[in-house]
Amino acid sequence: MTNSRRKHLIMLMLIGLIAICSTLLMLKRNNEPDITTIAVVLPQKETIATSRIMDGIRDYVLNNSIELDVLYVEEITEDDMNQILSEETKNNAIGTIIIYPEKYLKCDEDYRLISENIIAITEFMQNQFGVCAYFSNSSKEKEVYDAPLSTEIFQEIINGIITYIHLNNTYALGYKTIEMMDLNGKKGKLSNVEIKSVKVDKQVIESGDFDELLVE
Amino acid sequence: MRKRRVSVRILLPLIMSISIAVCILTCMLLFSHYLSVFIVDSAEKEVKKQKEALAQGIEQEIEDISDLINTIYYQNIKINDFSDEEFSKLLCNIFNDNSDRVYSISIYDIDGNCIFNTRKDNEKNVVNKVWFNNSVENIESIQFGDDELVCNTSVKRVIPVSKYIEYARSNRMNQGVLCVTFYTDYIEQILNNYGSTLNEYCYLVDANNELLYHPYMRAIESDLYEEKTLEKVQNIEKNNIVRNEGTNWIIYKQQLGYTGWNVVVVNSLSYIKNDNLNIYYVVWLILLIIGAVLITLDVVLLKNFTDPIYKLLRTMESFGRGNYEIKADENGIGELKVLSEQFNVMAEKLQKQMDEIRRNEHEKRKMEKKLLQSQINPHFLYNTLDSIIWMIQSGEYCGAEQMVSLLAKFFRISLSQGKDIIPLKKELEHATSYLAIQNIRFKDKFEFHVHADSELTKYLCPKLIIQPLLENAIYHGMEGMYDDGEIDINVYEKDGIINIDVVDNGLGMTEDKIDYIMHNKVVSSKRGSGIGVRNVNERIRLIYGEQYGISMISELDEGTTAKIMIPMLEEVDDK
């Protein structure tokens, strides 16, 4: 075999190799962007509020290439919580959202969960967690309710018994919390999520501006 | 400026490779364009189909609602008297049968006073409601109002659907408005079945382009999302592809009957294209591979064509430079092989002719050489023989005997069995014989001495090269001298060259004369050997090369030195 023939053979083999590698790469190729995993811990017993928070979370997840690792818990200790967090870290979750820990986490008052990339949606255990999501004016107002509106409150507002109430937009709380985790979780630059409650009166109800938030 | 020669070996494959690359790129672009058009067309058709399916589902629901209203009106209100007790029962039965979709059935007189309602909480101020006024103004058609919130077991959204009616009360015809309030659940369920990602979704707008349904309604109300296609939806009658925020969107809308509502289906074209990106990659890769293979084949094929030509060119160049032994490789395709073969035939013929010419030239030179060697003037022999005769007549028998002996030696060496090259020793003997004969003839007019390194006498030299110089010394140098003439032959080695100096102390010569002797066919004397210095010089150069030969230095009244330079060549055994 002459040198030139050998060169041609090597050239053809190289082209073939490039073709095979490219095909394999393409077959493995996925047009989907990289999926980010975020863990969510919430109470076993689902309420309308947790359901709305999850709606917000899921709506965000649906359009942002995120995979949720949802854990329903009933009653857990500090150790259990630490174990959950450590397992989620092993599962490559970029962070954990803890919803209403006051409903299932049994811990001392001086307990401090020092861990990165955790946002707790809580109003009563803010001291235990570094970063929290909450409604800013909920504790200051007297008439504060979680969305959706109950029939009684609705009737009372329509009938003028109550002039107005403050409604906690739990959907927005869930949405903004996971948005914060998605955008800043990897960078480790999480900060508190603060949502203002919506003032709802008869006029607001009749305007139809918040229909979807008010209905179940 | 010298023009740079462009090689066909590079030019042809380059042009072909560029052409192939351009073709492949054009194919890629055309394919991308047509595939893109195809994808967009398919996507548009698909979205249109989905929009029609959605619209059909909602229109079916609207038709059911209309049917219910018409049933209530034409089969109950119109044929019964309002004051009849059965009238309310009939309406309540209809309500109960449809309670899963109907929130309430109510009838208002033309002034807006509620005269019947399946619910206890009567709506007040209906005269301000759009649906009421529209019904009064358009008595033939069914009117759809704005959605509103109601409270049943939970807070829900409803749509009031109304119709102008004429009803009998105590046998007296009255005008009024029938209003049936429907839950939006059924319509939402139909719309919920469609995709609800931000790349593929649908929404419902009313006649005022206000959102009635959107999969992200809560996010919109929470200011977390904004429907940016809403404004553009109004102007999409002709072109269904809208560019928004750097992304192309396929948007289709369809009006739903006489409700004034529009169902809008939105699909991200970029997402659809991205979804089909693999097809692009596969075809691009195939085209690239085809291109690479074609270029490789092109290079290989053209190499097979151009290489033999290139090699033949190189062979011809080498042949042109004088390498007549070179042969062209007889390979290549078709005529190219014949071309090489014919070149070789031509080269072979040419070489034969060249050899012939060379051989002839050699023979010619050899003949010339022989001729030069044989140019011994017979005068020398006659004179010598005359001298011998004279010596015998005058009783100088010893001298005659010596002369005959010397002459015999002289001729023996001259002939040397036909050899051209003889040992230096023989040549010196020949020169000595010659000098001795001449000395007898000239009656000891000069003295001569031979100084030769015995080591050098074994080396070879062309025969009869010293004698012409001696002749020159005798006839040009010794003539006019009286008894004190001297001729020396000195043989020595210098820088690996044998130097034979013939030195005389004669009258010397001018440079012009030396030049004349060296460059003209002259002999020293008619009485001499007849071999000129120039001939000797030419012979030496012919045999050994241009760096060897004869040089002469002379000074008037001082003498002349003729120098022969020959290489140190030893005789080797033939065996």
Side-chain angles (χ1 to χ4, degrees), chain B residues 401-492:
Chain B
E401 188 191 343
Q402 191 187 356
M403 201 138 175
V404 168
S405 172
L406 287 166
L407 191 64
K409 198 174 185 180
F410 176 84
F411 278 107
R412 194 162 51 243
I413 295 169
S414 288
L415 295 171
S416 298
Q417 297 171 325
K419 288 179 185 173
D420 291 335
I421 309 291
I422 56 170
L424 185 58
K425 188 182 173 184
K426 293 274 182 194
E427 180 65 14
L428 287 172
E429 278 176 22
H430 180 264
T432 310
S433 302
Y434 176 75
L435 279 173
I437 290 168
Q438 291 294 46
N439 202 23
I440 293 167
R441 279 185 62 217
F442 283 93
K443 300 191 181 299
D444 296 326
K445 198 176 180 179
F446 60 87
E447 285 180 9
F448 68 92
H449 308 284
V450 177
H451 310 284
D453 186 346
S454 59
E455 287 297 314
L456 298 174
T457 56
K458 64 182 176 185
Y459 293 108
L460 296 173
C461 71
K463 71 179 177 185
L464 308 180
I465 57 170
I466 303 173
Q467 190 209 339
L469 301 181
L470 293 172
E471 261 179 26
N472 199 52
I474 291 165
Y475 291 109
H476 291 294
M478 295 300 115
E479 267 184 355
M481 292 286 289
Y482 299 99
D483 299 330
D484 55 350
E486 271 186 29
I487 295 171
D488 288 336
I489 300 171
N490 301 317
V491 180
Y492 58 94

Side-chain angles (χ1 to χ4, degrees), chain B residues 98-132:
Chain B
N98 295 281
S99 59
D100 56 332
R101 56 206 288 234
V102 175
Y103 170 69
S104 69
I105 300 172
S106 50
I107 301 170
Y108 299 88
D109 64 17
I110 202 72
D111 299 322
N113 299 313
C114 183
I115 54 173
F116 174 80
N117 197 341
T118 52
R119 300 197 69 82
K120 290 174 187 171
D121 44 346
N122 294 327
E123 191 153 3
K124 292 160 191 172
N125 302 323
V126 289
V127 283
N128 297 329
K129 301 278 185 183
V130 177
W131 56 264
F132 183 85

Side-chain angles (χ1 to χ4, degrees), chain B residues 132-353:
Chain B
F132 183 85
N133 293 318
N134 284 346
S135 296
V136 173
E137 285 166 17
N138 304 290
I139 58 172
E140 292 297 324
S141 59
I142 293 170
Q143 300 298 320
F144 286 76
D146 294 334
D147 62 324
E148 47 194 59
L149 293 182
V150 292
C151 183
N152 192 4
T153 50
S154 61
V155 178
K156 285 194 166 185
R157 284 173 73 199
V158 291
I159 298 166
V161 184
S162 58
K163 183 178 170 58
Y164 169 83
I165 55 168
E166 286 176 347
Y167 60 93
R169 193 172 200 175
S170 305
N171 293 324
R172 194 178 156 194
M173 289 306 289
N174 293 286
Q175 294 171 327
V177 174
L178 165 67
C179 177
V180 182
T181 316
F182 290 90
Y183 294 121
T184 57
D185 297 2
Y186 278 82
I187 292 171
E188 283 176 5
Q189 266 175 23
I190 294 164
L191 293 165
N192 276 338
N193 289 333
Y194 194 73
S196 59
T197 64
L198 288 179
N199 296 314
E200 186 185 19
Y201 61 95
C202 67
Y203 58 86
L204 194 66
V205 287
D206 62 14
N208 301 321
N209 214 34
E210 295 286 331
L211 281 171
L212 286 173
Y213 165 85
H214 194 287
Y216 291 95
M217 202 68 173
R218 282 180 191 158
I220 291 167
E221 287 176 2
S222 307
D223 288 332
L224 298 170
Y225 176 74
E226 187 187 355
E227 184 50 60
K228 285 171 180 155
T229 60
L230 207 53
E231 287 174 12
K232 296 184 177 176
V233 161
Q234 289 172 311
N235 310 313
I236 55 157
E237 299 304 329
K238 286 180 185 174
N239 190 7
N240 293 99
I241 296 176
V242 172
R243 189 156 183 85
N244 190 26
E245 292 190 337
T247 310
N248 286 328
W249 298 89
I250 301 174
I251 302 174
Y252 269 94
K253 75 167 181 178
Q254 184 167 330
Q255 194 169 337
L256 301 169
Y258 43 81
T259 58
W261 299 348
N262 279 293
V263 64
V264 182
V265 178
V266 182
N267 269 236
S268 162
L269 195 56
S270 308
Y271 180 76
I272 293 166
K273 278 186 178 173
N274 196 44
D275 226 23
N276 290 290
L277 220 53
N278 272 346
I279 301 171
Y280 284 92
Y281 287 147
V282 168
V283 176
W284 285 347
L285 186 72
I286 290 168
L287 284 172
L288 284 175
I289 291 170
I290 290 171
V293 169
L294 282 177
I295 288 170
T296 312
L297 283 176
D298 155 56
V299 170
V300 171
L301 205 65
L302 286 175
K303 200 174 158 57
N304 281 337
F305 275 108
T306 54
D307 265 13
I309 295 172
Y310 180 75
K311 281 178 186 171
L312 187 61
L313 179 74
R314 287 278 164 270
T315 309
M316 287 169 87
E317 278 176 355
S318 181
F319 191 83
R321 282 196 297 270
N323 183 8
Y324 303 117
E325 299 296 321
I326 199 161
K327 294 273 177 201
D329 289 341
E330 290 179 3
N331 50 26
I333 304 163
E335 287 85 349
L336 296 173
K337 192 178 177 181
V338 177
L339 197 66
S340 300
E341 285 170 355
Q342 288 306 312
F343 171 79
N344 284 343
V345 170
M346 186 192 77
E348 210 170 309
K349 278 185 180 173
L350 204 62
Q351 202 180 346
K352 273 182 185 171
Q353 284 178 353

